[in-house]
Amino acid sequence: MCGIIGLVSKKEVSSTLVEGLKRLEYRGYDSSGIATISNEKIERVRSKGNLKFLEEKLLSTSLPGNIGIGHTRWATHGTPEEKNAHPHITDKVAVVHNGIIENNNQLRNQLIEAGTKFASDTDTEVVCHIITSYINSGLSAYDSIRASINDIRGTYAFGVLIASEPNKLFAVRGGSPIAIGSADEENYIGSDTYSLSAYSDNITYLKDGDIAIIENKSYEIFDQSNSLVEREKQSIIESVTLSEKGIFKHFMSKEIHEQPEVIAKSLSNYIDMDNSLLCVPDLPYDLSTISNVTLVACGSSYYAGLIARDWFEKFTNVKVDVEIASEFRYREPPMDSNGLTIFISQSGETADTLAALKHCKSLGQKTISIVNVGDSSMCRNSHASLKIFAGPEIGVASTKAFTCQLIVLACLAIKIGRLNGSLNKDQEKDYVKSLLSIPRLISNTLDKEDEIVKLAHDLSNITTTLYLGRGQMYPVAMEGALKLKEISYVHAEGYPAGEMKHGPIALLERDLPVFMMAPSNTLYEKTVSNLNEVIARDASVILLTDEKGLENIGYLKDKIKTFLVDETDIISAPFVYTLPNQLIAYHIALLKGTDVDQPRNLAKSVTVE
Ligand code: AGP
């Protein structure tokens, strides 16, 4: 994913900016660049490829100035050419960006109609021109940036230079992390702890909607209501390494909060951002004629398969089976010779799933593995493999890998639907648009973590609980229950809400906590009926729903606890309803004092049968 560095100092900054970019290389990139302000003029040098090419250019093109920004780019909008490398500039503004601007095409077209000439294919250049237009209209630098972020939709972290403000560096957060690091008479901005840890012993993360105005000896942060705010300044762990937790208490917490970024990175590998169309790599067999799809996995990866079943059934009109690998491999069911079997695995080393892969290959199945670890056994042994690009997942409980698995599964289902004619281009564009909204929707939920903390305090003494949902919310419920049981050791069971009356309703008793996931969709009314059954037996319901869902339960809302999320659709609902469950499990486990990252009896990869 992209990386941002910025610096305002009393000394020249260009060489420090390049060193800062080197600390961002681990994030993966295909081009880089820096910009500074000298004599109120913006100067810039960029290069395609490795940072050493940028350094070579800088040997012959000096960049004077004691204020600047730098960027390592992972191509999303636009090919990895120099013209698309950041910073993007006009005569008045320079911008570096991490994230995805969802309404990029609409804004670009408006600017072109107004006479703007573009030098790149990127969404970032759009933002650069919007800020410039506000400055040209007479707004201050801060007001121009604030007005610009009100025009855009998506996820973003920006570093901004304004030529007329040569002593002020601007940082903006909207879904992608960006932080300030203070040092002696100089202040830095960076995408993460690791990028800043070489220059500062402290870090102040901005919150979504914040704009920071940073000078070399001080800075101010304004929230989205333009109020001056304080953000927590935290110490940076001295020996921060790439896989260190940084400012997070646990890897699981870091990985939960990384999801907007890593999902954006995963999306950028499977979607052509310029045209909002899929660009899933071609597979070594014809997907347009497959007769059925079998999804095979274990644990959370199995629940990802259950969620994806809705997408494959609705988008491809092909029969879909979802199998637990340890059951499937011994049952050895008959399989259609023209079938596709998809193996889902974060580690790519799960013994039962590998055994199932071997069995399916012996039956002549077309196989594909969806993995996070690229050189894993499953990757090597299947006919094709699609990486999920979640980055190293250290916490045993799967979070970002689970949601990135869903991204790739959704893209694959749409691709097959387009290939076999079940989906048309407009439907593809609609589903892709929904996929592109997921980083923002997840970020919105993460912003409400303090509500989850309060909820966790109320539930810290629970010993057993139920998670209920219908349709895709049923596997979401099972994944939520798994998160809670595997890190807090509380017995939790995910169940189809419609199945309660067939037995489990006998479990209900006063104050038993029951989590219910109910997006305001076609199954909402049925889920509310189940909600009534649960309340009627004095159990304590925690309802996850959206504004419309809350309105429709009327007086019942006074009898339950609620956590509101954004409105969703068939694509975004599993992501948006999984996030609160991840946070609930984490904060209850935190209160119970269990070993969140290495829970008892568990391994990150179950390579034994
Ligand atoms: C999920 O939180 C668990 N760590 C576990 O269920 C895991 O999903 C399962 O062991 C499968 O692992 P894999 O994805 O690496 O195959």
Side-chain angles (χ1 to χ4, degrees):
M1 64 203 104
C2 305
I4 290 174
I5 189 83
L7 170 57
V8 50
S9 177
K10 56 185 187 305
K11 59 183 190 306
E12 294 290 299
V13 297
S14 60
S15 57
T16 307
L17 288 172
V18 173
E19 290 312 311
L21 292 179
K22 288 178 180 174
R23 297 183 67 81
L24 290 163
E25 285 190 288
Y26 78 93
R27 300 163 69 94
Y29 69 105
D30 43 51
S31 59
S32 64
I34 63 174
T36 61
I37 299 177
S38 174
N39 302 321
E40 295 207 8
K41 187 173 178 305
I42 290 174
E43 308 282 353
R44 174 186 65 178
V45 173
R46 300 177 295 174
S47 171
K48 179 182 176 181
N50 192 286
L51 266 175
K52 66 175 187 288
F53 299 120
L54 181 69
E55 289 185 287
E56 284 166 10
K57 285 194 170 186
L58 286 164
L59 291 175
S60 54
T61 318
S62 72
L63 269 192
N66 59 3
I67 184 170
I69 51 179
H71 188 265
T72 49
R73 178 175 182 253
W74 172 279
T76 54
H77 291 76
T79 53
E81 304 300 329
E82 181 175 328
K83 70 168 185 174
N84 290 326
H86 301 206
H88 289 284
I89 66 172
T90 63
D91 59 333
K92 296 188 172 71
V93 178
V95 177
V96 289
H97 168 216
N98 183 11
I100 294 176
I101 306 301
E102 294 166 42
N103 57 339
N104 160 63
N105 290 339
Q106 170 205 339
L107 295 170
R108 176 183 277 261
N109 293 336
Q110 288 167 0
L111 287 162
I112 290 170
E113 281 166 22
T116 300
K117 297 279 181 280
F118 279 85
S120 81
D121 309 322
T122 66
D123 54 350
T124 309
E125 189 187 356
V126 168
V127 177
C128 195
H129 287 298
I130 293 174
I131 297 173
T132 304
S133 64
Y134 280 116
I135 288 176
N136 290 338
S137 71
L139 289 186
S140 70
Y142 172 86
D143 290 343
S144 298
I145 294 170
R146 179 62 71 190
S148 302
I149 61 176
N150 290 338
D151 289 347
I152 65 179
R153 195 177 67 250
T155 51
Y156 48 83
F158 296 127
V160 183
L161 296 179
I162 307 281
S164 58
E165 295 284 2
N167 302 311
K168 290 177 180 173
L169 172 63
F170 298 86
V172 184
R173 175 171 176 159
S176 288
I178 192 163
I180 300 167
S182 298
D184 178 25
E185 292 195 30
E186 55 187 19
N187 281 315
Y188 293 79
I189 60 172
S191 295
D192 60 20
T193 314
Y194 183 66
S195 59
L196 292 173
S197 58
Y199 311 105
S200 169
D201 61 5
N202 60 78
I203 188 167
T204 303
Y205 272 95
L206 300 189
K207 287 188 178 295
D208 284 353
D210 285 355
I211 299 176
I213 304 176
I214 304 156
E215 302 188 56
N216 70 317
K217 292 181 181 175
S218 64
Y219 61 82
E220 292 180 313
I221 300 173
F222 297 89
D223 69 9
Q224 50 199 11
S225 63
N226 296 317
S227 306
L228 184 62
V229 291
E230 290 287 324
R231 296 301 181 207
E232 186 188 0
K233 179 178 277 193
Q234 306 172 58
S235 65
I236 288 182
I237 298 167
E238 294 315 314
S239 59
V240 170
T241 64
L242 293 190
S243 60
E244 273 299 328
K245 300 186 279 284
I247 56 132
F248 292 97
K249 190 173 175 61
H250 296 102
F251 283 112
M252 182 178 176
S253 176
K254 172 173 176 269
E255 288 150 9
I256 288 173
H257 287 82
E258 279 177 338
Q259 287 177 108
E261 266 196 289
V262 294
I263 285 174
K265 179 171 181 178
S266 193
L267 285 167
S268 67
N269 282 280
Y270 295 102
I271 289 175
D272 166 4
M273 302 295 184
D274 300 333
N275 303 300
S276 294
L277 290 174
L278 277 188
C279 60
V280 177
D282 289 334
L283 302 179
Y285 34 69
D286 179 6
L287 286 172
S288 65
T289 59
I290 51 169
S291 56
N292 77 302
V293 170
T294 305
L295 298 149
V296 183
C298 300
S300 290
S301 301
Y302 168 66
Y303 300 143
L306 282 177
I307 289 169
R309 174 173 53 189
D310 265 40
W311 294 328
F312 280 96
E313 286 176 342
K314 288 182 173 53
F315 300 169
T316 71
N317 286 323
V318 164
K319 186 178 176 320
V320 187
D321 296 302
V322 190
E323 297 278 0
I324 292 173
S326 56
E327 291 295 310
F328 174 80
R329 63 176 291 197
Y330 295 110
R331 203 175 76 245
E332 294 190 348
M335 300 191 82
D336 188 303
S337 59
N338 192 26
L340 170 68
T341 306
I342 302 170
F343 300 88
I344 311 164
S345 176
Q346 188 285 132
S347 62
E349 300 297 346
T350 299
D352 287 321
T353 312
L354 277 169
L357 168 59
K358 186 177 175 187
H359 171 68
C360 289
K361 283 181 75 177
S362 70
L363 296 179
Q365 284 288 296
K366 299 174 181 70
T367 63
I368 181 169
S369 58
I370 293 179
V371 296
N372 193 31
V373 181
D375 54 357
S376 58
S377 305
M378 229 167 280
C379 182
R380 289 196 304 274
N381 291 303
S382 40
H383 295 113
S385 187
L386 294 175
K387 274 201 71 179
I388 66 173
F389 298 100
E393 186 175 69
I394 312 297
V396 164
S398 188
T399 50
K400 64 176 183 174
F402 176 75
T403 48
C404 286
Q405 285 171 342
L406 293 176
I407 289 289
V408 180
L409 286 161
C411 290
L412 185 56
I414 297 167
K415 180 177 177 86
I416 294 172
R418 290 286 288 129
L419 288 172
N420 72 12
S422 301
L423 284 186
N424 63 39
K425 193 162 190 174
D426 288 343
Q427 289 170 312
E428 176 185 351
K429 278 185 171 268
D430 288 345
Y431 291 138
V432 165
K433 186 177 176 190
S434 185
L435 281 167
L436 292 176
S437 72
I438 288 164
R440 170 172 52 86
L441 297 178
I442 282 183
S443 179
N444 291 348
T445 299
L446 290 172
D447 282 348
K448 299 171 70 176
E449 186 168 13
D450 52 349
E451 289 182 37
I452 297 284
V453 173
K454 291 193 190 81
L455 193 56
H457 275 284
D458 297 344
L459 299 167
S460 58
N461 296 317
I462 63 174
T463 55
T464 183
T465 180
L466 285 170
Y467 286 70
L468 304 180
R470 283 177 176 260
Q472 284 182 315
M473 293 300 110
Y474 162 40
V476 167
M478 289 203 285
E479 168 58 13
L482 176 62
K483 287 285 99 46
L484 184 67
K485 69 181 117 181
E486 68 177 327
I487 64 171
S488 69
Y489 316 148
V490 170
H491 176 255
E493 194 167 352
Y495 225 84
E499 272 290 289
M500 281 300 289
K501 51 189 172 297
H502 299 286
I505 201 164
L507 291 172
L508 297 183
E509 54 193 26
R510 177 173 293 281
D511 299 336
L512 174 80
V514 178
F515 294 91
M516 295 189 76
M517 277 57 72
S520 52
N521 63 14
T522 52
L523 293 171
Y524 174 79
E525 295 301 336
K526 290 291 180 192
T527 309
V528 170
S529 308
N530 303 133
L531 174 68
N532 276 301
E533 292 160 10
V534 174
I535 294 174
R537 286 148 182 91
D538 296 329
S540 167
V541 171
I542 302 96
L543 177 66
L544 278 59
T545 188
D546 48 44
E547 285 288 353
K548 201 185 290 181
L550 185 64
E551 281 160 27
N552 292 343
I553 58 169
Y555 75 95
L556 284 177
K557 63 171 170 289
D558 302 326
K559 295 170 173 262
I560 60 175
K561 293 185 177 73
T562 56
F563 181 83
L564 293 187
V565 295
D566 288 285
E567 279 199 41
T568 54
D569 57 28
I570 186 173
I571 291 278
S572 56
F575 298 88
V576 170
Y577 284 81
T578 288
L579 248 287
N581 288 339
Q582 291 175 348
L583 291 170
I584 287 164
Y586 174 72
H587 284 290
I588 289 177
L590 215 51
L591 292 167
K592 286 184 170 289
T594 53
D595 183 346
V596 170
D597 284 333
Q598 299 291 340
R600 67 187 184 197
N601 311 333
L602 287 178
K604 183 60 185 169
S605 174
V606 183
T607 56
V608 294
E609 300 178 8

